[in-house]
Amino acid sequence: MSQGTPHVEDVLGTVDRRLWRRILGHARAYKGAAYAMMAGGVILAIVESLLPLVTGLLIDAVIGEASTSRITWLGVAYAGLSVSFCVIVWWFIVAAGKLATGLAHDLRQASFQRLQELEFAYFDVQPAGWLVSRLTSDCRKVASLMPWFLLDLCWGATFLVVVGGGMLLIDWVLGLCVLAVVPVLVLVTIFFQRKLLRSSRLMRKTNSELTAVYNEGITGLWTTKSLSREPENIGEFQTVSQSMCNYSMRNSIETSIFLPIVTSISGMGVGIALWVGGVQIQDGEGLSIGMLIAFMQYAVLFAMPVRELAARISDLKGAQAAAERIQGLLDREPEIADSEEVKSRITAAAAGQRHGSAADGGDHRIEAIDFRDVSFWYKPEEPVLEHLDLSIAAGETIALVGPTGGGKTTIASLLCRFYEPCEGGIFINGIEYRKRSLHWLQSSLGIVLQHPHLFSGTVARNIAYGQPEATMEQIEAAARTVEAHDFITQLADGYEFEVGEGGSRLSMGQRQLIALARAVLADPQVFVMDEATSSVDTETEHHIQRGIEAILEGRIAVVIAHRLSTVRSADRILVIQGGKIVEQGSHEALLKADGAYQALYRRHFAGS
Ligand SMILES: Nc1ncnc2c1ncn2[C@@H]1O[C@H](COP(=O)(O)OP(=O)(O)OP(=O)(O)O)[C@@H](O)[C@H]1O
Ligand SMILES: [Mg+2]
C-alpha cells in the first residue's frame, strides 16, 4: 500500500550537511549558474536595502525644500535601483532555472543508469512504483529546491546584515528596539515551521496512499466487480481520503495562524520604534521624518529574511529523505558486474594483447556448461537449490520439469547470471563464469521468459529489439521460424502494428511468439526458454516446435515447460523438485523408470 514511503523519515531531524554537499556535488557542471545566482542574491539584497534609504532622502529633500537637481538625482537613483532590481530578479530566475533543470537532468540520468546496472535482487526488494517515484518526484524535488536554498541563503544573510546594520547606523536606540524582537521571531518561526513540516509530510504520505488506492482500484476493477467488493473499496477509499482532508485542514490552520503571529511580532518592534522615534521628533530631536520613514521600512522588511530562511531550511529538511534515497541509489554498487580482473582483460583484449575471440579475450564458443555443487537462496533462511550438479554438453537440449516452486526458473536465472550461486560455481568451458565478462555471457544467450516484456512501438521494432540493425527480411525470417508471421500479417499494419504499452494490444500467446522471434533473430549460442510457449495453443506449439528444432540443432538449449509436447524431444529431461534433480534421462527411459517423471506425466501431461 504505502509503496511510496517505505522509509519512515525523521521529520524533525537536523540538516545533514554532508549529504547536501554531496547532492550539490552533482551540480558541478552548473557551477557558473550557481555562482551567478548567489551573486544575484547578494546584489539584490543590497539594492533592496538601498531603496528605503533613497525614499527617506527624497522625502527629506522635498520637505526641506532642497534644490531641484538634488530631488531629480534622488528620483533618478530610485528609478535606477528599481530597474536594477527587475534585471537582477530576471538574472537569478534564469540562473536558478538553469541550475534546477540541469541538476534534475543529471540526477535522473545518473539514477536511471544505475538502475540499468543493478542486479535483479535489488528489484526483488524495491517495488517498481517506488523506484519510479525516486526517478521522477525525488529528483525534481531535490533539484528545484537547491537553487532557491542557495539564493535565499545569500540574499537573506546579506539582507539581515545590511538592513540590521543600516538600522543601527540610522539610530542605534531605535535599531535595538527592532532587533529586540528578533529572538522571539526566530523561536516562533522555528516552532511553526516544525509543525508545518510535520503536517505537510503527513499530507504527502497520505497522498501516496491515496494514489496507491486509486491505482489498485483501477487495475483491480475486474476482480473487484467479479467479487462484488465495490462497497468495501469505497469505504477504504473514504477512510484514506478523510485523513487527507484532516491533514490538509491542519496544515491550512497552522499556516493561517503562523503568518499573522509573525507579522504581529515584527509589527511590535516597528510599533515601539515608531513610538520612540515619533516622541523624539515631537521633542524636536532625533531623526528627520524621511529617515524615520526609511527606518520604518527597514523594520518592516527585517522579518522577511528570517521567515524565508526558516522556510528554506524547513524545505531542506522536508526533502532530506528524497536526497538520501537518490544518493543511496547512486552509491549502490551493482553486486553482479565484471570484476576488476575481467575489466582489465577486456581492456587488454581491446588493445590487441589477448587473442581469444570474445571481447574479454576468452573463448567465444560455449562448449559446455557445468553447475558444480551449486546452492542458492533468495533469503538465507530459505534455501532454494541445494548442492546441485548439472552438466550440459555442446548441442544438447535439456528440459526442466517438475512441480511449481521446485526451482526451475531459479536454475535458468543462475545460468543467465541474473543471480549468482551463493555456494559452488557455474563453469563455462571449465572456467568459472564470474571470471568471464557479463556482457559476453548475456549476449550469447537467447532468453525467453514466461511473461515476456514488449516495449511500446511496432512489432518489427520489438523483434529487432536486441539487433536494431536487422533488415526487414531477417525480421520476417525469424517470425516465420516461430510461426508468428501469419498472425502478424493479419494485424492492421502488419509488422508496423503498434503493440501498446507492455504489448497490451496483443494476446499473451502473441506476445510470446514475438519474444521467441526476438530470441531467434539474435542467433544466440544458448537458448533459455522458461515456459516460452505456455500461452500458445497446442496446434501452434507443434508448428513452433518443428521450426525451433532446426534452430536448436547444434546449440545448447534449456527448456522449461509444463507441457509434454515441448519437452518430449529434449535430449535429456530433468525432474526438479525441492531444489534438487530427482530424476533425469530421456522421455522414454523416464517413463519406463516408474518414478517422479511418470507420476508427473500421469498427473499433468496425460491430456496433451
Ligand atoms: N525473487 C524471488 N525472491 C524470493 N524468493 C523467490 C524469488 N523467486 C522465486 N522464489 C522462491 O524460490 C522457489 C523456487 O522458485 P522458482 O521460480 O525457481 O520455481 P519454478 O520451479 O520455476 O516454479 P514454476 O513452475 O511455478 O515456475 C520458490 O519457493 C519461490 O517462492
Ligand atoms: Mg518458473
Side-chain angles (χ1 to χ4, degrees):
M1 264 288 268
S2 52
Q3 284 193 350
T5 52
H7 302 295
V8 178
E9 296 139 15
D10 178 8
V11 293
L12 305 178
T14 50
V15 171
D16 182 345
R17 273 179 288 174
R18 198 171 150 266
L19 171 73
W20 285 107
R21 263 203 301 273
R22 294 194 66 198
I23 293 282
L24 206 55
H26 297 291
R28 229 172 281 127
Y30 311 97
K31 227 195 272 179
Y35 287 140
M37 204 187 60
M38 287 156 78
V42 172
I43 301 171
L44 185 77
I46 294 171
V47 169
E48 247 182 312
S49 39
L50 283 177
L51 278 169
L53 188 66
V54 177
T55 313
L57 290 173
L58 199 57
I59 291 170
D60 279 347
V62 173
I63 294 175
E65 292 175 8
S67 67
T68 313
S69 71
R70 182 174 163 78
I71 294 175
T72 311
W73 274 115
L74 285 168
V76 169
Y78 192 91
L81 285 172
S82 302
V83 172
S84 331
F85 181 86
C86 297
V87 173
I88 298 160
V89 169
W90 166 81
W91 175 15
F92 71 65
I93 288 180
V94 170
K98 199 169 166 190
L99 180 60
T101 320
L103 183 58
H105 169 271
D106 289 7
L107 287 176
R108 262 197 317 264
Q109 192 73 24
S111 350
F112 186 75
Q113 186 177 335
R114 187 39 49 100
L115 282 181
Q116 296 285 298
E117 293 162 354
L118 284 170
E119 66 286 349
F120 277 58
Y122 179 79
F123 298 91
D124 287 343
V125 289
Q126 303 291 11
W130 187 82
L131 286 169
V132 169
S133 68
R134 295 299 66 78
L135 286 178
T136 51
S137 74
D138 280 1
C139 289
R140 200 176 45 235
K141 191 194 273 180
V142 167
S144 57
L145 169 144
M146 196 46 92
W148 300 110
F149 175 76
L150 291 177
L151 178 78
D152 277 348
L153 197 67
C154 295
W155 169 81
T158 315
F159 203 79
L160 280 179
V161 171
V162 176
V163 170
M167 283 194 297
L168 289 174
L169 276 179
I170 292 174
D171 189 316
W172 67 273
V173 179
L174 294 189
L176 286 179
C177 289
V178 175
L179 294 181
V181 300
V182 170
V184 186
L185 196 65
V186 170
L187 287 178
V188 170
T189 306
I190 291 175
F191 174 78
F192 273 98
Q193 286 299 345
R194 283 183 165 205
K195 279 198 154 313
L196 285 169
L197 188 60
R198 197 195 294 262
S199 58
S200 64
R201 176 66 52 80
L202 286 169
M203 260 165 67
R204 275 204 301 276
K205 189 168 176 287
T206 321
N207 192 39
S208 60
E209 279 172 17
L210 205 62
T211 316
V213 179
Y214 262 131
N215 201 10
E216 291 200 338
I218 295 166
T219 51
L221 199 60
W222 287 87
T223 318
T224 308
K225 284 201 180 296
S226 66
L227 297 170
S228 307
R229 257 198 53 112
E230 293 96 322
E232 285 87 345
N233 280 9
I234 294 169
E236 278 172 26
F237 185 81
Q238 167 80 21
T239 314
V240 183
S241 179
Q242 190 56 50
S243 316
M244 179 75 187
C245 284
N246 296 345
Y247 293 135
S248 305
M249 209 51 223
R250 192 164 124 187
N251 189 268
S252 307
I253 292 171
E254 284 164 2
T255 312
S256 68
I257 301 174
F258 170 54
L259 288 176
I261 288 189
V262 166
T263 315
S264 313
I265 293 172
S266 53
M268 262 159 38
V270 179
I272 296 171
L274 190 59
W275 169 55
V276 176
V279 170
Q280 281 177 354
I281 289 177
Q282 233 179 13
D283 294 346
E285 53 193 54
L287 292 176
S288 64
I289 290 183
M291 280 304 101
L292 183 64
I293 289 174
F295 187 90
M296 293 334 310
Q297 287 190 18
Y298 283 148
V300 172
L301 290 174
F302 199 69
M304 205 161 67
V306 174
R307 215 170 47 214
E308 290 297 309
L309 280 174
R312 292 295 86 80
I313 291 171
S314 138
D315 285 351
L316 212 61
K317 281 191 201 168
Q320 192 147 296
E324 260 165 33
R325 287 188 296 249
I326 296 175
Q327 197 56 53
L329 174 63
L330 296 178
D331 285 345
R332 171 124 195 175
E333 286 298 324
E335 277 172 19
I336 300 183
D338 288 337
S339 64
E340 287 309 315
E341 187 197 331
V342 172
K343 281 188 199 151
S344 57
R345 270 196 273 121
I346 294 174
T347 319
Q353 292 155 8
R354 294 181 69 95
H355 303 293
S357 45
D360 61 357
D363 290 341
H364 179 64
R365 279 221 56 79
I366 296 180
E367 305 286 352
I369 300 172
D370 293 296
F371 284 59
R372 295 190 196 157
D373 199 23
V374 169
S375 295
F376 179 80
W377 49 84
Y378 294 97
K379 293 184 210 118
E381 64 281 9
E382 292 169 22
V384 175
L385 301 178
E386 292 179 77
H387 307 290
L388 186 103
D389 287 301
L390 167 63
S391 293
I392 313 171
E396 198 178 17
T397 296
I398 65 155
L400 306 182
V401 299
T404 289
K408 304 179 293 296
T409 298
T410 307
I411 294 176
S413 302
L414 288 174
L415 170 59
C416 301
R417 218 178 144 191
F418 294 154
Y419 297 85
E420 289 178 346
C422 301
E423 282 169 9
I426 298 174
F427 293 74
I428 294 181
N429 302 349
I431 296 170
E432 219 282 341
Y433 75 173
R434 280 175 269 219
K435 294 191 176 144
R436 298 295 311 268
S437 124
L438 187 61
H439 180 257
W440 162 78
L441 174 70
Q442 291 179 341
S443 59
S444 304
L445 306 175
I447 305 157
V448 190
L449 304 172
Q450 182 177 10
H451 299 291
H453 185 81
L454 298 194
F455 296 88
S456 306
T458 65
V459 169
R461 266 197 65 197
N462 268 288
I463 297 181
Y465 186 72
Q467 328 289 129
E469 71 292 346
T471 64
M472 210 47 222
E473 287 71 36
Q474 291 170 317
I475 294 175
E476 258 191 59
R480 278 181 202 280
T481 311
V482 301
E483 297 285 327
H485 180 73
D486 286 349
F487 102 78
I488 295 172
T489 47
Q490 278 161 23
L491 294 170
D493 302 308
Y495 281 87
E496 293 309 308
F497 179 80
E498 291 282 337
V499 301
E501 192 185 330
S504 59
R505 297 179 66 202
L506 295 175
S507 76
M508 191 54 85
Q510 290 169 333
R511 288 182 223 176
Q512 288 191 334
L513 292 182
I514 290 178
L516 267 174
R518 185 193 279 166
V520 167
L521 181 68
D523 192 23
Q525 299 193 58
V526 177
F527 270 100
V528 180
M529 296 193 264
D530 189 354
E531 309 268 358
T533 50
S534 59
S535 300
V536 174
D537 67 78
T538 34
E539 180 91 6
T540 314
E541 196 182 29
H542 284 303
H543 289 298
I544 297 172
Q545 205 60 35
R546 275 204 302 277
I548 283 193
E549 259 165 37
I551 287 185
L552 296 191
E553 197 62 44
R555 301 179 206 238
I556 290 178
V558 177
V559 181
I560 300 173
H562 281 292
R563 282 192 198 151
L564 180 60
S565 54
T566 324
V567 301
R568 196 181 239 151
S569 56
D571 299 314
R572 198 154 39 112
I573 298 172
L574 290 87
V575 183
I576 312 293
Q577 213 168 301
K580 293 196 175 75
I581 302 173
V582 293
E583 217 177 10
Q584 57 179 307
S586 70
H587 171 68
E588 289 73 21
L590 286 177
L591 271 189
K592 278 194 206 126
D594 194 18
Y597 184 74
Q598 200 199 59
L600 267 179
Y601 176 79
R602 280 212 214 97
R603 262 182 281 142
H604 298 291
F605 302 146
S608 53

